[in-house]
Amino acid sequence: MATARLLLRSASLLPLRRSPLHSSGFQPRAAMASDAASQFQKIQIQREDTTFDVYVVGKENAPGVVVLQEWWGVDYEVKNHAIHISQIGDGYRALIPDLYRGKVALEVAEAQHLMEGLDWQGAIKDIQASVKWLKENGSPKVGVTGYCMGGALAIASGVLVPEVDAVVAFYGTPSSELADASKAQAPIQAHFGELDSFVGFADVTAAKSLEEKLKASGVAHEVHIYSGCSHAFMNASPEALKRRKGMGLTDENQGAIDLAWSRFSTWMGRFLGSA
C-alpha cells in the first residue's frame, strides 16, 4: 500500500527504542490504562464473514463519530481522544473500531510491522460497518476522525463511504491508490503540523496537495497548518509526550491543540448537528 510505504520510509529515519518494561512486542488489552478502558463499552460488529471489536463511549442517540487509531493500534491515546470527543458540546457517541484485531505496538518497529500488514481495503469496510452500526443504533448523523494512519483512512472514508456525513483528519493523507481526495463526497477538515517530517504523507507539501484536491472535489473543506508543530502534536498525555520525545518529536503546543479541538467542534457541530 502506497500510504503505508510513505509512512514507513519516513519512520525509518526515527530512532527505534525498546521499552525496558516490556519484553514482548504487543501490549495485551489488560495492560491498558484501566481508567480509560473502564469508560468504554466493548461491542462486536460483523461485516461479511468478519467480526471485529469496537469500543463505544458517550451518550446514546447523540451524533456519532468513528475515531480511527494511529499506527500504534487502539491504545491509551486514541481512547483519550474518543473520550474527549464524547464530551464536546452537547455530546457525541464515539466509536473506535479495532483495525488491528487486538494488537497494540509499543515501539516504532512494531507499529511499522502492524501497519504494513494492514488490509487497507478491509479497514475501509470496518469503517463503513462502524458508521452503519452507529446510525442503526440511534445516531442520526455520523462523522469520522483519525490520527496519522487513521487520518489517512478518515479522508479515504470521505471518498469511499457514502454514509459518512463529515470528516476531520489529523496529519495523514491517503495515497491515490487508496482514495482520490478530488472525488470526496463528505465535507473534510484536515490538520497538519508545519514541522511534520513525514514527507508525502503529512508534511506541508502533502497538506497543500490535499487542499488542491479538495478544491477540485467541490465539497466543503478546510486545511489547517499549525506553526511550530510536528507530527502527532495532538497527543498530550504524559505517556504520549514521553513516546513522542523518544521519536525525536519534542514540541509541545497546548494552544495549537486547543485551537484544533475548537475547529473540530465547529466542523462536526456544523455537519452532524446536536443530539
Side-chain angles (χ1 to χ4, degrees):
M1 198 74 220
T3 299
R5 288 195 295 270
L6 279 171
L7 193 50
L8 290 170
R9 282 201 298 271
S10 298
S12 66
L13 302 176
L14 298 171
L16 304 183
R17 300 174 185 267
R18 180 168 293 277
S19 168
L21 301 178
H22 299 272
S23 57
S24 61
F26 300 124
Q27 180 182 18
R29 287 281 174 221
M32 283 187 171
S34 58
D35 56 340
S38 65
Q39 299 186 51
F40 288 84
Q41 180 184 10
K42 182 179 177 181
I43 296 168
Q44 287 194 323
I45 292 178
Q46 184 162 353
R47 63 160 178 86
E48 301 170 332
D49 58 349
T50 299
T51 300
F52 62 98
D53 293 335
V54 302
Y55 297 85
V56 183
V57 65
K59 66 179 184 179
E60 295 184 3
N61 302 319
V65 178
V66 177
V67 184
L68 302 176
Q69 67 198 48
E70 295 176 287
W71 65 345
W72 307 105
V74 181
D75 67 351
Y76 56 86
E77 200 66 352
V78 72
K79 288 197 170 189
N80 289 339
H81 291 322
I83 291 169
H84 181 86
I85 289 165
S86 74
Q87 299 170 350
I88 289 175
D90 292 332
Y92 291 94
R93 199 175 194 193
L95 180 155
I96 308 170
D98 189 347
L99 305 180
Y100 284 168
R101 304 299 192 259
K103 294 178 178 177
V104 179
L106 296 172
E107 57 186 65
V108 169
E110 295 150 359
Q112 287 180 350
H113 174 76
L114 286 173
M115 187 180 66
E116 189 175 30
L118 179 67
D119 174 3
W120 290 68
Q121 298 295 340
I124 294 295
K125 293 179 181 179
D126 286 354
I127 296 166
Q128 184 170 34
S130 298
V131 172
K132 288 182 175 180
W133 185 92
L134 283 167
K135 290 195 172 186
E136 290 168 359
N137 287 274
S139 293
K141 292 186 177 182
V142 177
V144 179
T145 191
Y147 308 82
C148 184
M149 182 187 84
L153 285 166
I155 293 170
S157 76
V159 178
L160 302 172
V161 181
E163 297 86 355
V164 172
D165 294 301
V167 169
V168 178
F170 292 90
Y171 30 80
T173 59
S175 67
S176 57
E177 180 184 0
L178 178 63
D180 181 355
S182 68
K183 298 179 180 178
Q185 304 179 68
I188 294 176
Q189 182 186 79
H191 304 263
F192 299 89
E194 176 195 26
L195 304 180
D196 199 312
S197 60
F198 285 73
V199 178
F201 177 75
D203 65 331
V204 171
T205 300
K208 291 182 177 179
S209 175
L210 172 66
E211 187 169 31
E212 290 304 310
K213 291 176 182 177
L214 293 177
K215 285 179 182 177
S217 75
V219 299
H221 65 276
E222 294 178 0
V223 176
H224 301 287
I225 299 173
Y226 296 80
S227 177
C229 292
S230 58
H231 194 71
F233 67 88
M234 295 294 289
N235 294 348
S237 71
E239 298 88 349
L241 288 174
K242 182 178 180 181
R243 181 166 65 186
R244 291 184 77 244
K245 288 178 181 177
M247 297 172 63
L249 307 174
T250 58
D251 58 296
E252 296 180 39
N253 191 330
Q254 189 60 47
I257 293 172
D258 292 342
L259 179 57
W261 278 126
S262 175
R263 287 167 168 165
F264 176 103
S265 176
T266 299
W267 193 258
M268 288 304 196
R270 174 183 172 187
F271 293 104
L272 304 187
S274 58

